[in-house]
Amino acid sequence: MAVVITTGVSGAPGVQKSGFLEVLVRERWHKVLVNLNEEALTLSCDESYVNDNIKDNVNGVTNGSYLDNNNTNSNNGPQSVRTAFTDLPERVPEAIANRKRCVKVTKQEVGGLGISIKGGKENKMPILISKIFKGLAADQTQALYVGDAILSVNGMNLRDATHDEAVQALKRAGREVTLEVKYMREATPYVRKGSPVSEIGWETPPPESPRLGSTPITPSSEPPSPPPQPSLSLQGDRRQLELHSPDARHTVVLRCPDQPSALTWFSAMHSVTSTLAQRVLAEVIQNKARTGVAGSKEIRHLGWLAGKTESEKECWKPVLVVVTEKDLLLYDSLPRGKEAWQSPAHAYPLLATRLVHSGPDRGSPHSGTELFFATRTGTRLGIETYLFRAETTKDLSLWTRHIVNMCHASAEMIKEVTTSCLYQGQECRLVIHYEQGFSVLAEPKPGDEENEEERGAHTPTRPQVLLTYPYEKLKMSSDDGVRMLFLDFGGKEGEIQLDLHSCPKPIVFILHSFLSAKISRLGLVA
């Protein structure tokens, strides 16, 4: 989802929700009109709210009325907008510059005139058309331009009118409106005047990354990046919404009038971003079918979560989470290009990862509680814990289910893990098999191999099986967190002590994954 910044009230096709919110810019809140559709969130600054005494009104966004503070629930926004940045002065025919013209406009039942005006006597400026909404009445005449000064409306002189007087004249003009106008090139800088929202930054996809549905212009080795999908969260007093750009460089903070409206906006935005996530997933799967991602062949799920390591107590940050057939991959931003996909910030093998917490601190998940889960991964350096926060109970359930299921699927796919160890002073190999259980195999001695060569044997020396036990014989397992693994199968040898030469946590976690997958396969809760 893109965040589109404009300096006048605007919209986009398929508007799903529209209303006035506040956006935080340079530690100040500014009122903006927000339009949400299936691809973009458009922020438009109502300049009458900015402390420069310059007003900007829209004539006829809904049913021929003005869009003001009383129309906050309107969902019938304009289709798109012409501004001074699209109606460039050099594109306006020279024949009409600084000449009076009369243009007849028929208001539409939905959309009215479809213009935005600014200026007035109090601003020492004429009444100027600052926006023309495409597809609406004014645009359909093909005779009006951004920068036209409105001299009169149905014969009523507006040359010396205040902004409010012009607003009222346009409102009372009826369905058939005759506008006397005059294009003023010198007014272009005034019409283009900036607003606080123009300072808001947002990611722009690079030219070499065409949008979904377009023809790729990059080589097959560099598939196009998917459409950007931002991360979204409720913050503060739960009246504020945070959107983080896919490149992790920008944050837009919106404030709603109250918590119920914030939840409504959040639900609408979350629905859009969730739909985009599915599109992203489908496109990434298609693009990476041949090359894979960071050593994995298949992507099973991806999306944005808030995340942090166990040591980052208060520092949640957006993280793109990708679940493959064997790994949990974390990216700080949406990868652009092949190399970025191959270099995640963190890569956790699912076989050595377990879900250790899911839900709020206490009780069942419900609206208003912080919904998070944690994963722990056994590594050569010990246990790494990563915390994730979801924004809805549905997301929490979806993510935890994906991770648990893929941990089990990874166990069934990999089936066997082998590591070197020292058992009773002898170099051995510990083999843990998903179906067959545990085996400790003695490594062939150099002398044994030489004897085989002397006898002309063509088959390699088979390792000697010192121990072998199925899972159901395992009575106890533990480790010292440094290098020792302890297994007790209730056999005559008693507790088996294996020196793994390094931290035993990866093997301990793999053992847990195998057991958990086997229990789940039996239809029991693991």
Side-chain angles (χ1 to χ4, degrees):
M1 181 174 72
V3 172
V4 181
I5 310 301
T6 69
T7 55
V9 182
S10 67
V15 173
Q16 297 181 354
K17 187 171 178 59
S18 178
F20 281 103
L21 302 179
E22 293 176 302
V23 63
L24 185 64
V25 181
R26 294 185 180 273
E27 300 184 357
R28 291 183 58 191
W29 293 102
H30 300 267
K31 188 177 181 182
V32 291
L33 176 68
V34 180
N35 282 321
L36 173 69
N37 71 4
E38 60 190 13
E39 292 241 348
L41 183 74
T42 305
L43 308 184
S44 311
C45 187
D46 179 2
E47 296 179 19
S48 63
Y49 195 76
V50 182
N51 293 326
D52 59 2
N53 295 320
I54 296 174
K55 299 182 179 181
D56 190 4
N57 284 35
V58 174
N59 183 13
V61 174
T62 55
N63 298 324
S65 64
Y66 286 87
L67 182 58
D68 54 23
N69 293 355
N70 297 321
N71 298 108
T72 57
N73 294 321
S74 168
N75 292 320
N76 300 317
Q79 298 303 300
S80 56
V81 65
R82 291 163 49 193
T83 69
F85 296 94
T86 58
D87 285 16
L88 300 175
E90 56 268 25
R91 295 184 181 177
V92 177
E94 192 65 36
I96 70 167
N98 295 315
R99 296 183 182 181
K100 296 178 185 179
R101 309 175 337 264
C102 285
V103 179
K104 292 185 178 181
V105 186
T106 302
K107 286 184 181 179
Q108 298 175 345
E109 291 185 6
V110 176
L113 285 175
I115 63 173
S116 173
I117 64 171
K118 68 192 315 182
K121 180 180 179 180
E122 67 273 34
N123 298 308
K124 299 181 180 179
M125 291 291 293
I127 303 299
L128 295 167
I129 296 177
S130 58
K131 312 288 181 296
I132 298 176
F133 299 101
K134 291 185 179 180
L136 300 186
D139 180 59
Q140 289 179 355
T141 66
Q142 298 185 352
L144 291 170
Y145 298 88
V146 173
D148 272 339
I150 302 178
L151 306 179
S152 68
V153 178
N154 289 348
M156 173 182 260
N157 190 351
L158 297 184
R159 290 170 176 80
D160 201 34
T162 65
H163 185 85
D164 287 339
E165 288 171 346
V167 168
Q168 294 303 317
L170 290 167
K171 285 181 69 174
R172 295 192 296 262
R175 188 165 183 268
E176 301 295 332
V177 182
T178 299
L179 299 178
E180 183 186 10
V181 297
K182 180 180 178 182
Y183 183 74
M184 302 181 66
R185 294 188 189 278
E186 61 272 20
T188 300
Y190 177 77
V191 176
R192 283 184 174 179
K193 188 178 186 300
S195 67
V197 296
S198 63
E199 299 183 32
I200 298 174
W202 196 255
E203 184 209 46
T204 301
E208 63 270 20
S209 298
R211 292 299 298 256
L212 190 68
S214 61
T215 302
I217 58 175
T218 52
S220 59
S221 61
E222 291 285 345
S225 296
Q229 177 225 356
S231 63
L232 172 68
S233 61
L234 274 169
Q235 297 292 334
D237 57 2
R238 301 192 69 78
R239 292 171 52 204
Q240 297 178 22
L241 300 167
E242 278 190 10
L243 287 98
H244 301 270
S245 66
D247 62 3
R249 296 179 180 180
H250 306 286
T251 300
V252 174
V253 182
L254 297 171
R255 186 169 67 181
C256 302
D258 49 47
Q259 288 188 11
S261 62
L263 288 172
T264 300
W265 272 103
F266 174 83
S267 297
M269 293 181 192
H270 185 269
S271 176
V272 171
T273 57
S274 297
T275 301
L276 280 174
Q278 295 305 308
R279 292 173 55 189
V280 169
L281 178 59
E283 183 167 327
V284 171
I285 289 175
Q286 180 181 3
N287 291 339
K288 304 301 177 183
R290 297 178 62 183
T291 60
V293 174
S296 296
K297 295 180 179 179
E298 299 179 36
I299 294 177
R300 302 298 177 84
H301 190 62
L302 63 76
W304 289 97
L305 292 170
K308 62 180 178 180
T309 62
E310 195 174 30
S311 60
E312 298 170 327
K313 298 298 183 182
E314 301 296 334
C315 186
W316 291 104
K317 60 182 180 181
V319 57
L320 182 68
V321 184
V322 178
V323 182
T324 72
E325 83 279 8
K326 66 184 185 69
D327 291 313
L328 181 66
L329 308 176
L330 309 182
Y331 297 86
D332 293 331
S333 62
L334 182 69
R336 297 290 189 186
K338 181 179 178 180
E339 291 185 3
W341 278 107
Q342 303 302 327
S343 305
H346 299 277
Y348 299 119
L350 289 169
L351 190 60
T353 298
R354 70 175 78 163
L355 184 74
V356 294
H357 176 84
S358 175
D361 288 329
R362 298 178 182 177
S364 301
H366 59 86
S367 178
T369 61
E370 191 168 78
L371 306 172
F372 67 93
F373 63 93
T375 59
R376 301 181 76 194
T377 303
T379 74
R380 295 291 182 183
L381 300 177
I383 298 174
E384 288 190 26
T385 302
Y386 207 95
L387 304 176
F388 299 92
R389 190 188 69 212
E391 299 302 329
T392 68
T393 54
K394 182 179 179 181
D395 284 347
L396 178 68
S397 175
L398 181 67
W399 275 104
T400 54
R401 187 170 65 251
H402 269 293
I403 290 174
V404 171
N405 288 345
M406 290 313 302
C407 286
H408 294 165
S410 177
E412 294 180 356
M413 177 186 70
I414 295 174
K415 287 191 179 299
E416 183 180 282
V417 173
T418 301
T419 184
S420 62
C421 66
L422 194 65
Y423 174 58
Q424 294 182 342
Q426 184 177 0
E427 284 295 337
C428 302
R429 283 187 290 131
L430 170 65
V431 179
I432 305 178
H433 192 280
Y434 176 64
E435 300 289 355
Q436 300 170 7
F438 303 82
S439 299
V440 177
L441 310 178
E443 295 285 4
K445 296 179 181 179
D448 295 337
E449 294 178 357
E450 291 175 2
N451 293 334
E452 290 291 343
E453 291 177 2
E454 291 175 0
R455 292 195 298 266
H458 296 288
T459 58
T461 303
R462 291 187 177 182
Q464 180 185 1
V465 179
L466 302 180
L467 298 168
T468 181
Y469 284 103
Y471 285 99
E472 55 266 26
K473 293 291 185 179
L474 183 64
K475 305 296 183 183
M476 183 274 296
S477 66
S478 61
D479 66 275
D480 67 352
V482 180
R483 59 190 295 163
M484 298 300 296
L485 175 67
F486 308 102
L487 301 173
D488 188 352
F489 296 97
K492 59 183 180 180
E493 68 279 341
E495 183 182 69
I496 299 170
Q497 299 183 12
L498 302 173
D499 184 345
L500 302 185
H501 306 302
S502 63
C503 182
K505 291 302 182 184
I507 291 297
V508 172
F509 277 60
I510 289 170
L511 171 58
H512 174 275
S513 293
F514 279 161
L515 289 170
S516 177
K518 290 173 73 68
I519 293 172
S520 177
R521 189 175 64 177
L522 295 173
L524 304 175
V525 177

